[in-house]
């Protein structure tokens, strides 16, 4: 039997093994099991490749395990998709047995049916009806992925419907997943203002111990590969706990090790791990860094580049040094810093310091500059004097 590979770097796909997120799962479990939890509606936000879809799917599975109905929809026609899931289409047929009698004698049962129409405008009524009619199930969980793509009118309908059910104390949960500014966008809609109070479960890189534990767990399920502790540490150091990058480095390491299988076993060393880092980095850049960084306005791009140029060995950049690198006063660039923090691309790390949140942004810009200067040695690529 061919050796298997449990790492799944298909972008946006469901991985075979779930990585970490103990804190987030504890939060979701409490919301599911605690009737008095204030977090019956919350967001999951983060940049591409951080595991939003995977976490959303895990929460959906948790709800099902605890006896809830899980309705999982994407951004396209979210209200209609929820109606189809809860009502079996846009109509809900109710069967009734009618027994007629003449002169006190039964003449047989007659089956009749009535049909209730549910349009997108009556989503709230459907949710309330289903919540009130629950018998076997404990509640209804609705999850929506890519919430930033949901049209305003549809988002308002969805949020307003959820608010009505929650206001009545009905067992409903609403979990919306999207990019970092999704909550700010959705909560600004007139019909969604109650979502301003919803918790924003922000996700990004895993903690160091979670990262190492995740790699240990996955490789333990593939006993045909003898993985050294140094190789695990190298994978963690390279991926920095970013879920998509973890899937990539693990996948390519196993595929390379397959070529060296002898007697059904193969070693995975730190050298092997380093040998596949370039191909993993390329895929990560194409699927995460390029889409995220290419959409930034020039002012934010310049700030990030300046951070990369002045960051210390501890990975932190002094905000005053960044401003000087840009030839400006700190007060002139504080707005750029704030906007990058909102986009979850950097975070404050001590008084007067900031840190990059996406792995390998610094090498991305360094390589970008090198390519440009190879083409034209005189081009300075927006560099600024120290």
């Amino acid at each position: 039997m061919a050796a298997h590979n449990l790492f799944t770097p298909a972008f946006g796909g469901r991985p075979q093994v779930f990585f970490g997120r103990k804190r987030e799962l504890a939060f979701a479990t409490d919301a599911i099991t605690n009737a008095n939890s204030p977090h019956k509606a919350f967001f999951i936000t983060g940049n591409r490749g951080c595991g939003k879809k995977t976490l959303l799917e895990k929460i959906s599975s948790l709800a099902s395990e605890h006896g809830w109905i899980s309705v999982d929809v994407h951004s396209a026609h979210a209200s209609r998709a929820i109606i189809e899931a809860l009502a079996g289409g846009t109509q809900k047929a109710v069967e009734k047995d009618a027994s007629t009698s003449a002169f006190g004698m039964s003449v047989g049962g007659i089956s009749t049916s009535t049909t209730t129409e549910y349009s997108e405008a009556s989503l709230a009524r459907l949710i309330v009806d289903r919540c009130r009619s629950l018998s076997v199930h404990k509640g209804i969980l609705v999850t929506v992925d890519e919430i930033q793509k949901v049209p305003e009118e549809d988002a308002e309908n969805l949020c307003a419907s959820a608010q009505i059910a929650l206001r009545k104390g009905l067992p409903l949960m609403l979990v919306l997943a999207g990019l970092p500014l999704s909550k700010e966008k959705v909560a600004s809609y007139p019909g969604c203002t109650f979502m301003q109070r919803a918790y924003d479960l922000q996700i990004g890189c895993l903690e160091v111990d979670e990262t190492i534990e995740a790699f240990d767990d996955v490789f333990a399920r593939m006993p045909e590969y003898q993985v050294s502790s140094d190789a695990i540490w190298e994978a963690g150091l390279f991926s920095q706990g970013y879920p998509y990058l973890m899937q990539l480095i693990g996948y390519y390491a196993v595929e390379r090790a397959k070529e060296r299988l002898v007697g059904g076993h193969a070693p995975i060393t730190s050298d092997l791990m380093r040998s596949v880092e370039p191909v993993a980095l390329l895929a990560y850049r194409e699927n995460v860094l390029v889409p995220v960084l290419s959409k930034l306005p020039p002012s934010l791009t310049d700030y990030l580049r300046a951070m990369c140029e002045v960051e210390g060995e501890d990975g932190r950049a002094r905000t005053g040094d960044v401003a000087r690198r840009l030839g400006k006063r700190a007060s002139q660039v504080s707005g750029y810093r704030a906007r990058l923090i909102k986009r979850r691309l950097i975070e404050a790390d001590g008084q007067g310091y900031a840190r990059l949140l996406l792995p390998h942004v610094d090498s991305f810009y360094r390589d970008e500059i090198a390519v440009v200067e190879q083409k034209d040695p005189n081009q300075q690529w927006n560099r600024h004097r120290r």
Side-chain angles (χ1 to χ4, degrees):
M1 186 173 65
H4 61 304
N5 191 339
L6 290 179
F7 289 96
T8 316
F11 202 83
R14 180 179 180 179
Q16 299 178 73
V17 181
F18 184 79
F19 287 162
R21 303 299 184 203
K22 293 180 182 179
R23 179 184 70 87
E24 291 82 358
L25 291 179
F27 175 91
T29 300
D30 180 72
I32 292 168
T33 59
N34 181 1
N36 297 319
S37 169
H39 304 301
K40 295 299 184 183
F42 63 89
F43 288 82
I44 298 172
T45 60
N47 278 300
R48 293 168 58 91
C50 70
K52 296 185 297 295
K53 289 181 175 63
T54 305
L55 181 56
L56 204 62
E57 182 65 23
K58 188 69 173 178
I59 291 173
S60 178
S61 298
L62 275 175
S64 297
E65 291 169 8
H66 283 85
W68 287 57
I69 296 173
S70 292
V71 178
D72 306 310
V73 301
H74 200 266
S75 56
H77 308 295
S79 293
R80 179 162 293 274
I82 295 168
I83 289 171
E84 291 174 352
L86 289 179
T90 56
Q91 295 181 341
K92 179 183 177 183
V94 180
E95 296 291 334
K96 294 181 179 179
D97 288 326
S99 181
T100 60
S101 61
F103 304 104
M105 297 180 62
S106 175
V107 296
I110 301 174
S111 178
T112 66
S113 67
T114 61
T115 299
T116 302
E117 291 274 358
Y118 287 105
S119 66
E120 293 182 32
S122 57
L123 176 62
R125 182 161 59 92
L126 171 59
I127 290 176
V128 169
D129 287 349
R130 286 305 308 270
C131 285
R132 283 176 170 167
S133 65
L134 291 173
S135 55
V136 176
H137 295 94
K138 296 180 180 179
I140 298 173
L141 166 69
V142 175
T143 73
V144 184
D145 193 19
E146 302 280 7
I147 187 62
Q148 74 278 355
K149 295 182 180 179
V150 175
E152 181 175 343
E153 183 178 358
D154 199 11
E156 288 183 329
N157 188 33
L158 172 64
C159 292
S161 299
Q163 183 181 23
I164 289 172
L166 292 173
R167 188 182 70 196
K168 294 179 181 295
L170 296 173
L172 177 77
M173 275 184 63
L174 176 65
V175 184
L176 309 177
L179 295 175
L181 297 177
S182 296
K183 179 183 177 182
E184 184 176 290
K185 178 180 181 180
V186 172
S188 70
Y189 299 154
C192 301
T193 53
F194 98 101
M195 292 299 289
Q196 292 173 0
R197 303 188 298 275
Y199 188 77
D200 188 356
L201 198 58
Q202 301 176 3
I203 63 174
C205 294
L206 302 183
E207 298 293 333
V208 174
D209 58 341
E210 274 194 314
T211 302
I212 300 303
E213 183 181 329
F215 278 121
D216 279 336
D217 178 50
V218 180
F219 279 115
R221 304 184 192 200
M222 298 183 288
E224 57 267 44
Y225 303 106
Q226 291 83 48
V227 186
S228 70
S229 58
D230 287 345
I232 295 289
W233 185 258
E234 179 64 30
L237 188 65
F238 171 76
S239 67
Q240 298 177 42
Y242 204 74
Y244 179 55
L245 202 47
M246 292 172 67
Q247 295 282 2
L248 284 169
I249 189 66
Y251 174 81
Y252 286 117
V254 170
E255 291 301 300
R256 180 66 56 86
K258 280 183 182 181
E259 301 169 3
R260 307 178 184 185
L261 281 170
V262 177
H265 293 87
I268 295 181
T269 64
S270 56
D271 286 340
L272 183 148
M273 199 67 73
R274 279 190 288 270
S275 73
V276 299
E277 287 175 2
V279 65
L281 182 59
L282 180 61
Y284 167 72
R285 285 181 173 183
E286 290 179 349
N287 289 312
V288 176
L289 293 186
V290 170
V292 171
L293 300 179
S294 65
K295 296 178 181 179
L296 295 176
S299 57
L300 301 191
T301 299
D302 287 346
Y303 193 97
L304 280 181
R305 285 197 183 119
M307 276 190 65
C308 295
E309 292 175 355
V310 304
E311 68 178 352
E313 292 183 0
D314 61 357
R316 299 191 305 165
R318 190 190 296 270
T319 53
D321 292 342
V322 175
R324 282 189 289 274
R325 188 68 170 167
L326 293 170
K328 299 178 182 294
R329 295 189 302 274
S331 60
Q332 291 178 295
V333 297
S334 60
Y336 304 153
R337 180 175 181 271
R339 289 165 66 188
L340 288 168
I341 288 175
K342 276 191 173 183
R343 292 172 182 259
R344 223 79 50 74
L345 294 176
I346 68 173
E347 66 177 353
D349 190 0
Q351 184 66 33
Y353 286 89
R355 180 187 298 275
L356 297 166
L357 285 179
L358 285 179
H360 303 291
V361 170
D362 48 359
S363 67
F364 175 80
Y365 282 133
R366 281 199 303 270
D367 291 348
E368 190 179 59
I369 291 170
V371 169
V372 171
E373 291 185 342
Q374 282 179 357
K375 293 179 180 179
D376 182 1
N378 296 318
Q379 187 164 347
Q380 292 303 306
W381 195 261
N382 291 327
R383 287 188 171 185
H384 302 269
R385 294 185 178 180
R386 290 185 185 271

